[in-house]
Amino acid sequence: YCPEKRYLEEQLKSLDCQTYENMEILIFDDSVGEKCEERVFQQCLKHKPYRILPYKENNLGYVKAFEYLTEQSDGAYVAFCDQDDVWDKRKIEKCVECLNRDKTLLVATDRKLIDENGKVLCPSVRRSSKSPSENWNTYDDIGKANFFLCHAPGMSLVARGDFVRSTVPFSRYTGHDKWLISCACAVGKVSYLDQPLVSYRRHGNNVSGVLVGIHSKKDYREKRILPHLKLIQE
């Protein structure tokens, strides 16, 4: 959705050089007005096949956009990426190995934080944070706690394709990442891979954040507490 071109190019190139060979890249442009130029994909994706999904008449928003992409997928594994993050070249390879070794439904990896220019702000979120949401291990039942605080962002997740498609429709009360992690814990187990295999770009336009859109207690109640309650009910 209205990507910064240089960030998108860096992301696409990091997907194109993945050591895991048997992969397809699904692309959806959620911009209703200004569309992303298709030549960006032609220039950056030289080794991996890709498919651009048909445009929608109205903006879906990021959760429903990921839901649409999920519905159109058919792979044995599904990984989610935003438009401005960067992947380690062995991310998919290592995550697939982890899923098969642990016999789990979903794996999350550690991540780096980078700034607008790619400078590393934090080499490992796990090692710099004392939060329980960043310090869990394979087979831990994090499903309940994850309702309230996401235990891994979407770009760090890889999951079994059949499982991911079974969770559609995604809940409208939370992000796709929280929904998938809680669903995985409800019907199986999850893995944590203690390696920073993705670089999470932090800048002024990120849509995620604990207090994004919150300006008062009323906002917090209506935009955080009530959606959490409805999410648990779902």
Side-chain angles (χ1 to χ4, degrees):
Y1 175 81
C2 300
E4 176 75 33
K5 185 180 177 183
R6 63 187 175 116
Y7 297 158
L8 178 60
E9 289 175 341
E10 189 174 358
Q11 159 118 113
L12 291 171
K13 290 175 182 177
S14 76
L15 303 183
D16 199 44
C17 70
Q18 287 294 301
T19 55
Y20 191 84
E21 295 183 354
N22 184 24
M23 79 183 247
E24 178 187 38
I25 299 168
L26 300 186
I27 300 164
F28 174 59
D29 188 347
D30 199 28
S31 302
V32 176
E34 186 177 351
K35 303 295 185 183
C36 187
E37 294 183 1
E38 191 170 332
R39 64 181 180 181
V40 174
F41 307 111
Q42 296 170 345
Q43 293 170 351
C44 295
L45 299 176
K46 302 292 189 181
H47 305 290
K48 306 295 186 190
Y50 66 90
R51 181 158 44 106
I52 300 177
L53 301 186
Y55 292 111
K56 296 291 187 179
E57 291 184 2
N58 299 307
N59 173 263
L60 298 183
Y62 81 98
V63 176
K64 288 301 177 182
F66 278 124
E67 179 183 287
Y68 177 41
L69 285 157
T70 297
E71 290 174 323
Q72 299 301 312
S73 71
D74 57 11
Y77 308 95
V78 171
F80 299 90
C81 65
D82 299 319
Q83 62 196 30
D84 51 9
D85 302 312
V86 183
W87 288 7
D88 180 278
K89 66 180 181 180
R90 295 189 65 191
K91 175 195 171 178
I92 299 298
E93 176 190 353
K94 289 187 175 184
C95 286
V96 168
E97 289 175 352
C98 180
L99 287 171
N100 290 326
R101 180 182 66 246
D102 296 344
K103 295 180 170 51
T104 48
L105 294 175
L106 174 149
V107 57
T109 76
D110 190 8
R111 62 196 185 279
K112 300 176 184 177
L113 299 182
I114 59 176
D115 67 9
E116 294 94 331
N117 300 312
K119 179 182 178 181
V120 176
L121 302 174
C122 173
S124 167
V125 171
R126 185 178 179 88
R127 283 165 177 73
S128 66
S129 174
K130 296 181 180 180
S131 170
S133 66
E134 301 291 355
N135 290 276
W136 56 277
N137 299 298
T138 296
Y139 302 140
D140 284 355
D141 184 2
I142 59 174
K144 294 178 183 178
N146 181 73
F147 280 138
F148 303 99
L149 189 62
C150 185
H151 280 51
M155 37 75 78
S156 72
L157 304 179
V158 178
R160 297 187 185 276
D162 289 344
F163 158 71
V164 174
R165 288 183 285 272
S166 76
T167 67
V168 171
F170 292 169
S171 173
R172 63 190 183 278
Y173 299 117
T174 191
H176 64 292
D177 37 23
K178 284 176 67 177
W179 177 246
L180 288 168
I181 293 169
S182 290
C183 286
C185 289
V187 298
K189 300 290 186 180
V190 296
S191 293
Y192 189 88
L193 188 53
D194 192 6
Q195 298 179 42
L197 298 178
V198 288
S199 295
Y200 189 27
R201 194 184 302 274
R202 301 303 296 170
H203 52 79
N205 296 322
N206 289 96
V207 299
S208 61
V210 175
L211 294 178
V212 169
I214 304 300
H215 305 288
S216 65
K217 289 183 178 180
K218 180 181 178 182
D219 285 345
Y220 193 81
R221 181 174 66 252
E222 294 180 352
K223 296 181 181 181
R224 295 293 186 271
I225 295 176
L226 292 181
H228 284 153
L229 175 60
K230 292 175 180 177
L231 171 63
I232 292 168
Q233 290 171 338
E234 279 198 349

